[in-house]
Amino acid sequence: MRAELKYWLATTLVMAATSSAFAQVKVTDAWVRATVAQQGVTGAFMRLDSATDARLISVTTPIAAAVEMHRMSMEGDVMKMAPVSGIDIPAGKGVSLQPGGYHLMMIKLKSQIKAGDMIPFTLLIEDQDHQRTSVEVRATARPLNAPGGMGAMPRK
Ligand SMILES: [Cu+2]
């Protein structure tokens, strides 16, 4: 009985230490928009959830020279897009990167992306204590005409 209790305590302490040391960010529903040949940029989207406040601070993928974090918003009746330095992931609320809001822009694509392709990303996440964790994500390429307002992106 006593040994069991000790084991339980030890396990609980280890779990507590782990969850306070690193942001536990869960990524779901990751996808990118497929491209036509010679297209230079495309958007990537996903849902980010965290039990503690965290922030997405950078993203990389082997198939693009860079990945920028962008925010789209309506100014009057004009849709505007601007780069942001990071995207907050509020504890328990999370954030959706989706067409028309926050999203990732893949810049200078190295190859065409076809529907069904699996695209790897590495997300760098920072928690409240400025501890950084990287999260590996695989995003599925959806057809060019998948719903959302990113079809008319300017080419770079
Ligand atoms: Cu964008």
Side-chain angles (χ1 to χ4, degrees):
M1 202 60 171
R2 184 170 285 186
E4 273 172 32
L5 182 62
K6 269 187 189 166
Y7 174 77
W8 181 84
L9 276 173
T11 312
T12 308
L13 287 172
V14 168
M15 287 172 64
T18 307
S19 59
S20 64
F22 297 106
Q24 305 270 317
V25 171
K26 198 178 85 177
V27 181
T28 47
D29 203 24
W31 65 281
V32 305
R33 189 182 300 285
T35 63
V36 294
Q38 309 305 320
Q39 185 177 335
V41 302
T42 193
F45 313 94
M46 60 195 65
R47 167 89 197 158
L48 303 172
D49 284 286
S50 177
T52 55
D53 283 335
R55 184 171 169 86
L56 177 64
I57 54 172
S58 80
V59 183
T60 54
T61 177
I63 76 147
V67 181
E68 294 181 355
M69 293 172 277
H70 284 182
R71 187 169 64 121
M72 250 184 169
S73 57
M74 292 296 288
E75 281 183 24
D77 51 4
V78 180
M79 196 68 134
K80 295 218 168 171
M81 185 170 77
V84 291
S85 60
I87 297 173
D88 286 329
I89 310 168
K93 286 187 182 164
V95 62
S96 288
L97 312 191
Q98 59 195 357
Y102 284 115
H103 58 273
L104 306 176
M105 290 302 303
M106 303 168 69
I107 310 292
K108 291 186 184 165
L109 291 169
K110 294 171 183 172
S111 59
Q112 185 180 358
I113 299 173
K114 295 181 175 151
D117 287 355
M118 293 295 280
I119 310 297
F121 289 91
T122 303
L123 312 185
L124 193 60
I125 308 283
E126 193 173 80
D127 70 13
Q128 293 154 294
D129 305 322
H130 303 288
Q131 294 266 10
R132 292 181 174 187
T133 324
S134 59
V135 179
E136 304 294 326
V137 177
R138 284 181 163 269
T140 311
R142 293 187 187 170
L144 262 172
N145 59 1
M150 296 288 292
M153 291 295 305
R155 291 185 183 187
K156 290 190 180 175

